[in-house]
Amino acid sequence: METRHAKTVQTAGFKLTPPRQAVLTALESGDDHMTPAEVLARAQAIYPSLGRATVYRTLELLTNLGIVRPIFLGERGVCLTLAEGGHHHLICSDCGAVVEFDECPVSELEQELAERLNFQIRGHLLEFYGLCAQCQG
Amino acid sequence: METRHAKTVQTAGFKLTPPRQAVLTALESGDDHMTPAEVLARAQAIYPSLGRATVYRTLELLTNLGIVRPIFLGERGVCLTLAEGGHHHLICSDCGAVVEFDECPVSELEQELAERLNFQIRGHLLEFYGLCAQCQG
DNA sequence: CGATAATTGAGACCTGATCTCACTGAGACG
DNA sequence: CGTCTCAGTGAGATCAGGTCTCAATTATCG
């Protein structure tokens, strides 16, 4: 997995430097909803001299390459997630709780939209929002 | 429509003050993907002495009441949208283009999740991301 | 009429993100 | 082997959006 993304970076003509590897590794450890600050911390644990700017630059690079993608998780703010595949949450508008689920009915639609709009689709995000059990009433 | 949301504010025990009305009106004019800065600008056009803090406070209030909800649109950053109903986009990871579409296959799933997780669902967001026609290759 | 509480605007402040710039290190090439 | 070039980097200045504080205002109610 790391190997695959590292390859993507290289074949796109960018160098696979230790700072970039550290960011990639950081992203693949930990869960799939890390804030930039968490990525920075983890990556610095791997490669201590790593600077903040480099992390942001790398995240931007990885985003443009379609490896990673920012999503907005209510309370947590912007988080990074691997771009491939789907992400499915319910978010409580009141307390910000995030619940994940697995069912996903969008693959046909994905196909169809890809063809109709000539879009090369790599992943998706499906979020429901409302009130969780605790916050109702 | 405005009336409805205004009512919601009142019945939740909050005062429907001119600043809050201005924010509500601002949200309902314009499109459904306004950044906070745009909301501020529009609301100030309606009620010039309106302060920034009040707009953010009101947006937070409206979010907690489930009237409005922040979503993250790639390049544009965080935007506000009316919480009710669905929002459907394709977003290009490279250039940030946003394309909307209407088809939406999630209503059954919505039902089922609502029951299973005891979540009172008010709206949803379905985003596909990948590369648009221009950015491929 | 006070008393109380909610709401507000102004501006200080904070924090996360971006920019600048001098420096490094890895190839390209004679 | 020197040295040129240039992508990549870290440090820190800087910026921008959002939050917080606080005094003033307004509404409500007894």
Side-chain angles (χ1 to χ4, degrees):
Chain A
M1 162 120 76
E2 190 198 82
T3 314
R4 200 171 100 242
H5 294 145
K7 270 262 156 55
T8 306
V9 171
Q10 287 179 310
T11 58
F14 299 95
K15 295 177 188 163
L16 186 61
T17 59
R20 283 173 181 166
Q21 286 187 56
V23 172
L24 273 174
T25 305
L27 284 167
E28 283 154 6
S29 72
D31 75 8
D32 198 15
H33 301 130
M34 273 187 276
T35 61
E38 288 164 349
V39 175
L40 173 62
R42 276 173 186 272
Q44 279 183 333
I46 299 168
Y47 186 82
S49 79
L50 182 63
R52 205 178 355 152
T54 300
V55 170
Y56 283 103
R57 281 186 289 236
T58 303
L59 289 176
E60 191 190 344
L61 173 66
L62 297 179
T63 300
N64 289 341
L65 292 177
I67 294 175
V68 127
R69 143 149 195 103
I71 64 177
F72 182 77
L73 282 186
E75 294 256 299
R76 295 204 79 202
V78 173
C79 295
L80 291 146
T81 185
L82 296 177
E84 203 114 351
H87 297 273
H88 315 103
H89 317 109
L90 290 117
I91 303 186
C92 177
S93 308
D94 195 19
C95 72
V98 177
V99 180
E100 303 199 37
F101 60 91
D102 290 324
E103 301 89 325
C104 185
V106 306
S107 58
E108 285 161 42
L109 177 59
E110 178 169 323
Q111 276 281 331
E112 193 224 311
L113 288 171
E115 282 168 29
R116 195 172 82 216
L117 301 171
N118 192 18
F119 221 95
Q120 183 182 318
I121 294 179
R122 227 186 284 250
H124 65 265
L125 172 67
L126 174 57
E127 277 181 2
F128 290 100
Y129 32 94
L131 297 176
C132 72
Q134 281 74 46
C135 296
Q136 289 172 36
Chain B
M1 161 119 77
E2 192 200 80
T3 313
R4 203 173 96 244
H5 293 147
K7 270 262 157 54
T8 306
V9 171
Q10 289 180 308
T11 59
F14 299 96
K15 295 176 188 164
L16 186 62
T17 60
R20 284 174 181 165
Q21 285 186 58
V23 173
L24 273 174
T25 306
L27 284 166
E28 283 154 6
S29 71
D31 74 8
D32 196 16
H33 300 132
M34 275 187 275
T35 61
E38 287 163 349
V39 176
L40 174 61
R42 276 172 185 272
Q44 279 182 332
I46 299 168
Y47 185 83
S49 78
L50 183 62
R52 204 179 356 149
T54 300
V55 170
Y56 283 103
R57 281 187 290 236
T58 303
L59 290 176
E60 192 190 342
L61 174 65
L62 298 179
T63 301
N64 290 339
L65 292 177
I67 293 174
V68 126
R69 140 147 201 108
I71 62 177
F72 183 77
L73 282 187
E75 293 256 300
R76 296 203 77 201
V78 173
C79 295
L80 291 146
T81 183
L82 296 177
E84 204 115 349
H87 298 273
H88 315 103
H89 316 111
L90 290 117
I91 303 186
C92 177
S93 307
D94 196 18
C95 70
V98 176
V99 181
E100 304 198 36
F101 60 91
D102 289 324
E103 301 90 324
C104 185
V106 307
S107 58
E108 284 162 43
L109 177 59
E110 180 169 321
Q111 275 282 331
E112 193 224 310
L113 287 171
E115 282 168 30
R116 196 172 81 214
L117 302 170
N118 192 19
F119 222 94
Q120 183 180 319
I121 295 179
R122 228 186 284 251
H124 66 264
L125 171 67
L126 174 56
E127 277 182 3
F128 290 100
Y129 32 92
L131 297 176
C132 73
Q134 282 74 46
C135 296
Q136 288 170 36

